[in-house]
């Protein structure tokens, strides 16, 4: 594996992140492994399903919180874990459906509401639906019914035809019939309230990942190396280093689509 001179001495070769409040360290992670693969095969968190494996069905959705370099705060949103490279989760806090609730710990209000509305048949899509709704309510506790519907445009259910699922999720809306369920208190939404702000934080502040990641990551397996430069200088230096050789490289951002280098320069 080539050593990047700019990052040598300050980089790390292990990933550190949190899943459902537990801290994990993964030494020399495999750059070809996805987050969904790791959750299912390494941690037995099989509530996160994988079907299409290409970002089209939503059954693999998990919620993530990570430092926002733009303002020093944090960003929270849902991602398709089937597309999310494991190597990209350094410093993240990840919430899977197991982190929301279950049979032993007690079901989360969103899980209960989905069941009350008969929104689950085989249940394969349900974890992704639940986590997606959790992501929306964490950002906007009282969405409109239209906003709920829009938020589910990346989800597919093969069984129920969506109506009972959307009915269940829309029952959390500000403009829904209160007799059908009504909005949810933020205290009921999550156990993870920021001790400082009192807002939903998913443990990020508690776990100390507020602020920006300052360390570069450098790891590799099976002939593939992964770098996470943290400054533009590091990025340009890496590009220079690899453009002169015969190596192929790609810049990974959301990883929802791929284009070749010519496309990027057009
Ligand atoms: Fe279908 Fe990830 S498995 S979006
Ligand atoms: Fe079967 Fe949605 S309940 S895929």
């Amino acid at each position: 594996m080539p050593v990047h001179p700019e990052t040598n001495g300050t980089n790390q070769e292990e990933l550190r992140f949190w899943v459902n409040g537990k801290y994990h360290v993964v030494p020399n992670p495999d750059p070809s492994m996805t987050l969904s693969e790791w959750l299912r095969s390494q941690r037995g968190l099989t509530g996160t399903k994988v079907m299409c494996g290409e970002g089209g069905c939503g059954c693999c959705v998990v919620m993530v919180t990570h430092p926002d370099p733009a303002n020093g705060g944090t960003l929270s949103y849902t991602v398709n874990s089937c597309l999310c490279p494991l190597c990209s989760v350094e410093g993240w806090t990840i919430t899977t459906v197991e982190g929301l609730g279950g049979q032993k710990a007690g079901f989360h209000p969103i899980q209960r509401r989905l069941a009350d509305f008969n929104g689950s048949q085989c249940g394969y899509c349900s974890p992704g639906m639940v986590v997606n709704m959790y992501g929306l309510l964490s950002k906007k506790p009282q969405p409109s019914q239209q906003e709920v519907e829009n938020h589910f445009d990346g989800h597919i259910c093969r069984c129920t035809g969506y109506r009972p699922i959307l009915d269940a999720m829309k029952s959390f809306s500000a403009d829904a019939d209160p007799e059908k369920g009504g909005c949810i208190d933020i205290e009921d939404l999550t156990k993870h309230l920021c001790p400082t702000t009192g807002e939903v934080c998913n443990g990020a502040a508690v776990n100390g990942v507020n602020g920006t990641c300052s360390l570069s990551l450098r790891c590799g397996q099976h002939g593939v190396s992964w770098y996470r430069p943290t400054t533009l200088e590091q990025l340009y230096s890496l590009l220079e280093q690899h453009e002169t050789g015969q190596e192929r490289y790609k810049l990974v951002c959301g990883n929802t689509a791929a284009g070749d280098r010519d496309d990027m320069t057009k």
Side-chain angles (χ1 to χ4, degrees), residues 7-70:
T7 61
N8 191 24
T10 59
N11 59 6
Q12 57 181 52
E13 298 178 9
E14 60 186 22
L15 270 181
R16 299 160 312 174
F17 55 98
W18 290 262
V19 178
N20 300 333
K22 279 196 191 145
Y23 182 57
H24 295 279
V25 178
V26 179
N28 196 27
D30 181 353
S32 62
M33 182 174 266
T34 61
L35 175 59
S36 59
E37 249 180 291
W38 186 85
L39 289 169
R40 290 176 58 82
S41 68
Q42 305 299 305
R43 283 296 170 270
L45 295 171
T46 51
T48 301
K49 308 296 184 205
V50 176
M51 177 57 87
C52 70
E54 55 182 31
C57 73
C59 71
C60 62
V61 162
V62 299
M63 175 139 166
V64 305
T65 300
H66 62 73
D68 181 359

Side-chain angles (χ1 to χ4, degrees), residues 5 23 39 42 71 99 104 113 149 189 202 207 215-216 225:
Y23 182 57
L39 289 169
Q42 305 299 305
N71 59 21
K104 285 187 189 154
R113 194 80 59 92
E149 190 166 326
L189 179 68
N202 298 303
N207 290 322
L215 291 173
S216 306
S225 298

Side-chain angles (χ1 to χ4, degrees), residues 20-254:
N20 300 333
K22 279 196 191 145
Y23 182 57
H24 295 279
V25 178
V26 179
N28 196 27
D30 181 353
S32 62
M33 182 174 266
T34 61
L35 175 59
S36 59
E37 249 180 291
W38 186 85
L39 289 169
R40 290 176 58 82
S41 68
Q42 305 299 305
R43 283 296 170 270
L45 295 171
T46 51
T48 301
K49 308 296 184 205
V50 176
M51 177 57 87
C52 70
E54 55 182 31
C57 73
C59 71
C60 62
V61 162
V62 299
M63 175 139 166
V64 305
T65 300
H66 62 73
D68 181 359
N71 59 21
T74 56
L75 277 175
S76 292
Y77 51 91
T78 50
V79 298
N80 292 319
S81 61
C82 70
L83 293 180
C84 178
L86 176 64
C87 285
S88 66
V89 308
E90 165 67 19
W92 289 13
T93 294
I94 296 157
T95 304
T96 71
V97 72
E98 291 90 345
L100 298 187
Q103 201 167 14
K104 285 187 189 154
F107 289 109
H108 189 275
I110 301 173
Q111 294 169 316
R112 280 203 304 271
R113 194 80 59 92
L114 187 64
D116 289 347
F117 277 75
N118 301 311
S120 186
Q121 286 188 32
C122 79
Y124 208 79
C125 70
S126 305
M129 299 282 187
V130 167
V131 177
N132 191 46
M133 191 63 197
Y134 177 71
L136 175 61
L137 292 178
S138 299
K139 267 201 276 195
K140 186 161 190 181
Q142 299 198 354
S144 68
Q145 296 195 54
Q146 188 59 53
E147 284 170 324
V148 172
E149 190 166 326
N150 295 347
H151 200 64
F152 278 85
D153 61 0
H155 287 252
I156 290 175
C157 173
R158 302 146 189 89
C159 301
T160 65
Y162 300 106
R163 177 159 298 188
I165 297 171
L166 282 179
D167 284 349
M169 301 313 181
K170 284 179 177 179
S171 72
F172 288 104
S173 312
D175 53 350
D177 179 352
E179 300 216 336
K180 297 216 165 145
C183 299
I184 183 174
D185 280 345
I186 196 154
E187 290 81 8
D188 294 332
L189 179 68
T190 178
K191 301 180 191 92
H192 304 298
L193 293 184
C194 174
T196 315
T197 65
E199 291 176 357
V200 177
C201 72
N202 298 303
V206 176
N207 290 322
V209 295
N210 276 332
T212 52
C213 290
S214 57
L215 291 173
S216 306
L217 174 70
R218 172 171 65 79
C219 57
Q221 275 192 43
H222 313 304
V224 180
S225 298
W226 177 281
Y227 299 93
R228 192 196 60 221
T230 52
T231 63
L232 277 178
E233 288 71 30
Q234 289 177 358
L235 172 65
Y236 292 143
S237 173
L238 280 166
L239 289 175
E240 228 169 70
Q241 186 183 336
H242 292 280
E243 259 172 351
T244 52
Q246 297 301 308
E247 296 166 271
R248 295 181 57 210
Y249 66 84
K250 67 176 180 178
L251 302 177
V252 180
C253 188

